[in-house]
């Protein structure tokens, strides 16, 4: 029987380093990804190089199909454990502090810069100062139809922080739902599903049908890394469900190889449709619809495959094994794991600012891209080290625990 009382705190689960590694890989990879968009022919990035290539989106597409969905799945996994420890109220408060504070701060303090540089880059005659531009950025209105992106404006945007907006929204939706959920009934259903998935190979691929359907018929949104915004809710909920029973983890390890091959094949099969359709994200033609369905199914398969394959590399690890003595590699790993959210918040304004100067060079695309990535990556890491992690105030503003 469910009551309104908060559950007692449970001990923290054993940390899964492969999930931390994935988060770090994706966030660091975003520096490479967003730097590449500067040179992409068909993308409306803030700053564009005079010379572009269609190869960028073809190569980047394979990262789009799994990277952000996997972040939401991992966030769902973490949400399950956090709710067990903190209860609904504590979980919501923690999410508001760790996601809401950096969202508001970065939107107001960092996000105007890319938009100002967009105007300066597109129009050589635009000479308004940054301070002069700020009132235009803050000129906003409410748009309930765009939920959860309720605040809109001609120049205002949450930009790359759309991930934080959605994650915070999903978390706040989950907290009351979890509090009043008929848990015993849900536990019984989850037990049957986990047992069926363990007994029947291939059962883990069934959710691919849901992702295929939402991509095909709800269509896709370029502003949110290609996926429809509510597709990410499914990934988040899937992660939450998978965390509830270790048998799902066993299934993911067992079927990871098949999922990887299937995901790659489905993604490859979706490619011709995206290349040939005029508006592949939104067209209702049979070719575009089928291609989106293949893309959605490929995303689920790869999201299952990647953590499953990485988890296979840690056989025989005891969940109660003693913590090893930290090494230099371990300290670097811990440093980056803690830095994931601040690095995510910082990276895009820095990429855009560096690109604004690099694109003026008369150099080959590969040279400009390499220089852009190196400088942006160094500045992002340096900004985190010198401007974020060293004081209690800045750690709070970027969502870090004190």
């Amino acid at each position: 029987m469910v009551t309104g009382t908060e559950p007692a705190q449970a001990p923290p689960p054993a940390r899964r380093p492969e999930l931390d590694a994935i988060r770090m890989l994706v966030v660091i990879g975003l520096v490479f990804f967003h730097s590449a968009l500067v040179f992409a022919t068909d993308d409306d990035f803030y700053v564009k190089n005079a010379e572009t290539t269609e190869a960028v989106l073809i190569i980047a597409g394979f990262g789009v199909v799994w990277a952000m969905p996997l972040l939401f799945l991992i966030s769902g996994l973490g949400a399950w454990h956090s709710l067990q420890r903190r209860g609904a109220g504590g979980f919501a408060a923690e999410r508001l502090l760790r996601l809401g504070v950096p969202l508001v701060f970065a939107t107001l303090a960092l996000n105007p810069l890319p938009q100002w540089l967009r105007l300066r880059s597109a129009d050589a005659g635009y000479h308004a100062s940054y301070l002069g531009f700020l009132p235009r950025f803050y000129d906003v209105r409410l748009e309930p139809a765009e939920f959860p992106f309720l605040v809109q404006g001609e120049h205002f945007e949450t930009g790359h922080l759309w991930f934080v907006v959605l994650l915070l929204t999903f978390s706040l939706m989950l907290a009351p739902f979890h509090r009043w959920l008929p848990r015993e009934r849900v536990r019984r259903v989850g037990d049957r599903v986990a047992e069926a998935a363990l007994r029947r190979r291939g059962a883990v691929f069934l959710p691919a049908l849901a992702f295929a359907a939402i991509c095909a018929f709800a269509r896709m949104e370029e502003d949110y890394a290609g996926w429809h915004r509510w597709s990410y809710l499914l990934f988040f909920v899937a992660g939450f469900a998978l965390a509830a029973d270790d048998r799902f983890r066993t299934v993911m390890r067992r079927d990871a190889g098949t999922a990887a091959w299937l995901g790659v094949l489905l993604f490859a099969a979706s490619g011709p449709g995206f290349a040939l359709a005029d508006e592949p994200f939104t067209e209702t033609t049979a070719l575009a619809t089928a291609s989106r369905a293949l893309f959605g199914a490929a995303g689920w398969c790869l999201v299952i495959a990647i953590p499953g394959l990485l988890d296979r590399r840690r056989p025989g690890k005891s969940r109660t094994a003693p913590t090893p003595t930290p090494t230099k590699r371990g300290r670097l790993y811990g440093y980056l794991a803690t830095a994931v959210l601040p690095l995510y918040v910082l990276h895009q304004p820095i990429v855009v600012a560096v690109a604004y100067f690099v694109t003026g060079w008369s150099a080959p695309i590969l040279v400009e891209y390499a220089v852009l990535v190196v400088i942006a990556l160094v500045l992002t890491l340096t900004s985190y080290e010198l401007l974020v992690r060293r004081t209690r105030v800045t750690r709070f503003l970027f969502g870090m625990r004190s």
Side-chain angles (χ1 to χ4, degrees):
M1 181 176 178
V2 179
T3 69
T5 60
E6 297 291 341
Q9 286 194 351
R15 197 160 189 92
R16 294 181 56 180
E18 78 278 6
L19 300 184
D20 286 332
I22 291 169
R23 292 166 63 241
M24 288 185 285
L25 172 66
V26 172
V27 171
I28 296 298
L30 286 173
V31 175
F32 292 80
F33 176 77
H34 286 131
S35 296
L37 294 184
V38 174
F39 307 94
T41 301
D42 299 324
D43 187 85
D44 181 29
F45 198 62
Y46 300 91
V47 175
K48 300 295 291 186
N49 195 51
E51 183 184 359
T52 60
T53 173
E54 294 181 354
V56 169
L57 292 184
I58 296 173
I59 297 170
F62 187 69
V64 166
V65 74
W66 62 266
M68 299 309 293
L70 193 45
L71 282 188
F72 279 101
L73 185 112
I74 293 172
S75 297
L77 289 166
W80 190 89
H81 294 294
S82 183
L83 273 164
Q84 306 315 305
R85 296 197 308 274
R86 297 184 173 91
F91 172 75
E94 191 264 353
R95 293 291 86 186
L96 284 169
L97 285 176
R98 295 205 62 216
L99 296 175
V101 170
L103 172 62
V104 173
F105 171 73
T107 298
L108 298 179
L110 302 181
N111 280 7
L113 179 63
Q115 286 289 63
W116 179 63
L117 292 177
R118 181 199 293 274
L119 295 175
R120 292 182 63 89
S121 177
D123 182 4
Y126 182 82
H127 298 299
S129 68
Y130 184 64
L131 292 178
F133 167 74
L134 288 179
R136 298 179 63 186
F137 181 85
Y138 299 137
D139 183 13
V140 299
R141 63 186 182 277
L142 291 179
E143 292 284 355
E146 292 297 321
F147 180 83
F149 302 95
L150 297 173
V151 182
Q152 299 283 322
E154 181 182 359
H155 299 287
F156 178 88
E157 64 166 8
T158 52
H160 66 299
L161 300 178
W162 63 263
F163 167 74
V164 183
V165 174
L166 290 179
L167 183 55
L168 179 59
T169 301
F170 299 161
S171 298
L172 295 180
M173 291 168 61
L174 176 65
F177 180 76
H178 177 266
R179 183 169 186 172
W180 302 110
L181 201 66
R183 296 177 194 170
E184 183 58 30
R185 184 183 306 171
V186 171
R187 188 195 64 77
R188 290 196 300 267
V189 172
D191 185 69
R192 290 197 293 269
V193 171
E195 186 60 32
L198 195 61
R199 289 200 318 266
R200 300 176 185 175
R201 293 191 71 102
V204 73
F205 300 120
L206 289 178
L209 300 176
F211 290 101
I214 195 170
C215 285
F217 301 112
R219 305 174 195 173
M220 298 167 66
E221 298 182 283
E222 187 174 354
D223 289 342
Y224 311 118
W227 292 83
H228 190 282
R229 68 189 76 179
W230 295 110
S231 297
Y232 293 120
L233 176 59
L234 295 185
F235 285 110
F236 180 79
V237 171
F240 185 82
L242 291 173
D245 195 310
D246 265 357
R247 285 172 291 185
F248 289 124
R249 183 175 176 183
T250 301
V251 170
M252 290 172 67
R253 286 198 301 264
R254 182 193 67 194
D255 293 338
T258 303
W261 282 109
L262 186 57
V264 170
L265 290 173
L266 289 170
F267 176 76
S270 73
F274 281 98
L276 295 173
D278 291 331
E279 296 291 341
F281 285 8
T282 56
E283 276 185 18
T284 57
T285 61
L287 177 62
T289 302
S291 297
R292 291 196 298 271
L294 291 169
F295 179 93
W300 174 253
C301 291
L302 292 170
V303 160
I304 289 297
I306 293 169
L309 289 172
L310 291 176
D311 202 16
R312 283 180 176 183
R313 297 175 62 86
R314 303 174 61 246
K317 294 286 186 181
S318 168
R319 298 187 67 173
T320 58
T323 304
T325 303
T327 62
K328 287 184 178 179
R329 181 178 177 182
R331 286 193 292 270
L332 176 62
Y333 185 90
Y335 176 88
L336 291 176
T338 304
V340 164
L341 180 58
L343 293 179
Y344 180 88
V345 170
L346 288 167
H347 85 276
Q348 183 158 287
I350 291 174
V351 167
V352 175
V354 176
Y356 179 76
F357 295 99
V358 170
T359 53
W361 300 356
S362 56
I365 285 179
L366 285 177
V367 173
E368 291 185 344
Y369 175 69
V371 170
L372 172 55
V373 166
V374 170
I375 295 177
L377 194 55
V378 169
L379 287 179
T380 301
L381 292 169
T382 302
S383 297
Y384 165 71
E385 173 62 29
L386 299 181
L387 303 178
V388 176
R389 71 179 293 265
R390 297 194 175 214
T391 72
R392 185 180 295 271
V393 171
T394 51
R395 290 172 69 87
F396 172 76
L397 291 175
F398 281 84
M400 298 179 68
R401 293 186 176 91
S402 299

